[in-house]
Amino acid sequence: MNALYKHRLFWPIASLLALIAINAIARPQFIKVTVRDGELYGALVTILKDSAPLMLVALGMTIVIATRGIDLSVGAIMAVSGAVALTIIDGSGSPDNLATVLIAVVVALLVALILGAWNGLLVTVLGIQPIVATLVLMLAGRGAALLITGGEITTVNSAPFKWMSGGYLVALPVAFLIGLLAITIMGLIERRTALGVLTEAVGINPEASRLAGVRARGIIWGAYMVSGILAGVAGLIYASRISAADANAAGVFIELYAILAVVLGGTSLNGGKFSIAGTVVGVFIIQTLDSTILFLGIPSAQSPVFFGFVVAIVVVVQSPRVRTALGSLGGRRRSRGTSGPSTDTVEVAR
Amino acid sequence: MTATMARSERRTGAGPSAFQTFLSRHGGMMPTFAAVLILLLLFVGAEAFLRGDFISGGNISALLLDNAYLMVLAVGMTFVILTGGIDLSVGSVMAFTGILGAKLLADGLPAAIAVPAMLLGGAAIGLFIGILVQYFGVQPFIASLAGLFLGRGLAFIVSLSSIRVEDTSLLWLQSERIWMGAWYITPTGIIALSTVAIAAFVLHLTRFGRTIYAIGGNEQSARLMGLKVGRAKVLAYVISGSCAGLAGLILTAYSGAGYPRNGIGTELDAIAAVVIGGTLLTGGRGYVVGSMIGVFVYGTIKSVINFMGAEQSWMQIIVGALLLLFIVVQRAIVARSEGRR
């Protein structure tokens, strides 16, 4: 029991279960999953389906944050990738052709990859702070997306493209399966190879890892490229959901929610140790909270207040001061590893 | 600033190395000079290629009028960035205080109550962020993110739609024009310029201001020197919040209404203006006057784009590109000064 309590994912999972329990008590139909024509429906399935874009973006963000970086440009990359794909489909004249859609998807993802590589270039080669380096693309990217669509909202009716967000495969929403695929690939690459450990090494101490022979530059660069391409996929799913490329609305604030999901999942913004499972739980917490707020009948415009308080509570609970206080209350609870002087030295090293 | 520039020219005449001496002594000022240069180039370019009356009293006065709120935001942001922090909340705090003021006025309260309430509302959110940053060790980015969500949500709680302002004293801030030949200035413009002046005074001539620079230079050293680091850091966020409140007032007067969707993304504009004005995002270096220049550069690009009839999307691309240019220049300067040490 004690080991369970100490596990780093204990609090995130506990909060998620609590949220689901509250919802289930308030409205029993929340946990009901129905099968219709071999496809699953229900509030929980909707949460799984709708969480896909945030899931993809947050996964990329986890890796970037693990290298001590941050990627603010993901929303803009989403907008660009959606704009590229829909402009190609719109211009082709045969929107229902599978080959057209495939070409559009591949080109959009390539563009997203290039944008991610650009971020990585600024951070690694030019040595610019990640916040600032990605701020450039965050500002300029949305403008570029608007230029691609000609300043309009490109709408498209394409069945294969729509399938990405609305379709079902083996009874599960395709969007969720895409997210699941990304989680699996990331989990395998980061945890079944040495890459995850190397990423953490770079994040914990870039200088020491360089001296130890870790090629930090390549790892950091790769992290931004992964974040870029995942944001590209997220942009495609978003565009597919609304059947349109809305450069102004695609992925607005998603960088903030993604960072929130990563932090909720217990990954520190100081870089280093990261948890993909934590991020997944964090995304589900956010999506469930969103659905709860909607259910309570609060206008969705007012929901940021709740997120504001959630962020504040989470970061205060995670802060060294409160941890130390809690640690002294609970006697011999661990307080060394997470608190202590490490935060100060990290700031200086940055 | 013009005085220092003039002195540098005189020294250049005196000896071959004088210019280099100046450069090495005032390396931190270079980005700000570059911003002035870009502003002048923009003015001259627009005058020569676009229209003959770009450099005119009327146009430059309008520039100040249109960007007064951004200037006040940039001043507050400069304080925070100088400490090495960042404040993402200013755009939504501005929206919150704006709609709050409009609501109070619509409920029949006098401006004498509504205006202080706006400033206090902004200061309160700033205090909230500052306490999170200083006493709970939360990163400024995340703490102000909480402030951003909070401000935006509160704005929508006050009202879901826009509220017109009928109060004459508030509208007077915008409608009153004090003419000086072809130039004019509105009370909002005076507020913006005096905010810059007061901030410059505080930053350069008071103990608190020097503490801000010291924190940005090296927080540990500042603390060991016995400076009141904690108080100064919290105050920087309170100042930024109050400035956002003031900007809310100016924007409400400017648009004649409070609107909860105001200022989405404005925090990025403010950060961009501060960076273009030569303040390093790592903290400790920069000038509030530079931030003012940065706002003028931003405003000029905007009006040039408007005039050319180009799509507004170019605005984002150009500001992004300028930001990149300045960051690379700053990076080079920092690398040089570190190399010398």
Side-chain angles (χ1 to χ4, degrees), chain B residues 14-52:
Chain B
S17 67
F19 183 63
Q20 284 168 351
T21 320
F22 177 80
L23 261 188
S24 66
R25 261 193 212 153
H26 300 278
M29 276 187 180
M30 280 308 123
T32 310
F33 284 150
V36 174
L37 198 68
I38 287 202
L39 184 62
L40 291 179
L41 282 177
L42 273 173
F43 269 167
V44 173
E47 175 84 12
F49 297 111
L50 290 179
R51 59 184 217 208

Side-chain angles (χ1 to χ4, degrees), chain A residues 59 166 177 268 272 277 293 339:
Chain A
L59 282 174
L177 290 176
S268 160
I293 291 168
S339 67

Side-chain angles (χ1 to χ4, degrees), chain A residues 260-292:
Chain A
L260 179 58
V262 173
V263 175
L264 281 174
T267 300
S268 160
L269 279 170
N270 288 326
K273 289 217 168 295
F274 67 94
S275 163
I276 288 177
T279 299
V280 173
V281 175
V283 169
F284 286 140
I285 291 179
I286 291 177
Q287 205 68 41
T288 314
L289 196 60
D290 209 35
S291 143
T292 313

Side-chain angles (χ1 to χ4, degrees), chain B residues 84-316:
Chain B
I86 201 153
D87 189 352
L88 298 179
S89 72
V90 292
S92 51
V93 172
M94 176 175 79
F96 164 57
T97 57
I99 193 87
L100 178 71
K103 172 87 174 162
L104 291 178
L105 290 172
D107 287 350
L109 288 167
I113 294 177
V115 172
M118 293 166 89
L119 297 183
L120 281 178
I125 296 184
L127 182 67
F128 167 75
I129 298 171
I131 288 175
L132 281 184
V133 169
Q134 179 57 32
Y135 295 103
F136 292 101
V138 181
Q139 280 157 330
F141 188 87
I142 295 296
S144 60
L145 176 61
L148 180 155
F149 283 135
L150 208 61
R152 186 62 64 192
L154 285 174
F156 280 109
I157 284 180
V158 172
S159 167
L160 284 172
S161 54
S162 74
I163 301 176
R164 271 181 65 81
V165 174
E166 314 282 354
D167 186 84
T168 44
S169 56
L170 201 67
L171 294 177
W172 171 84
L173 289 175
Q174 182 63 24
S175 54
E176 174 72 17
R177 288 185 186 193
I178 303 156
W179 289 88
M180 284 165 287
W183 300 69
Y184 66 87
I185 190 163
T186 58
T188 51
I190 296 175
I191 294 175
L193 289 182
S194 30
T195 313
V196 174
I198 294 170
F201 171 79
V202 168
L203 278 176
H204 296 288
L205 296 170
T206 66
R207 179 179 296 210
F208 166 68
R210 304 317 299 175
T211 309
I212 294 276
Y213 276 98
I215 295 173
N218 188 333
E219 187 172 339
Q220 205 67 21
S221 314
R223 190 171 286 129
L224 292 175
M225 278 164 68
L227 296 174
K228 294 201 166 75
V229 167
R231 205 182 59 179
K233 237 168 129 182
V234 174
L235 255 180
Y237 289 93
V238 173
I239 288 173
S240 179
S242 314
C243 280
L246 191 58
L249 172 72
I250 293 175
L251 191 66
T252 309
Y254 179 72
S255 54
Y259 184 46
R261 280 187 204 283
N262 269 337
I264 291 181
T266 305
E267 59 277 356
L268 301 177
D269 296 340
I271 295 170
V274 171
V275 172
I276 290 173
T279 300
L280 290 194
L281 272 157
T282 40
R285 285 193 203 183
Y287 304 94
V288 75
V289 177
S291 302
M292 181 179 79
I293 309 262
V295 170
F296 277 128
V297 170
Y298 178 90
T300 310
I301 298 171
K302 204 167 188 169
S303 69
V304 166
I305 288 173
N306 269 340
F307 181 76
M308 285 168 64
E311 278 173 42
Q312 272 303 318
S313 39
W314 278 107
M315 181 72 203
Q316 294 165 311

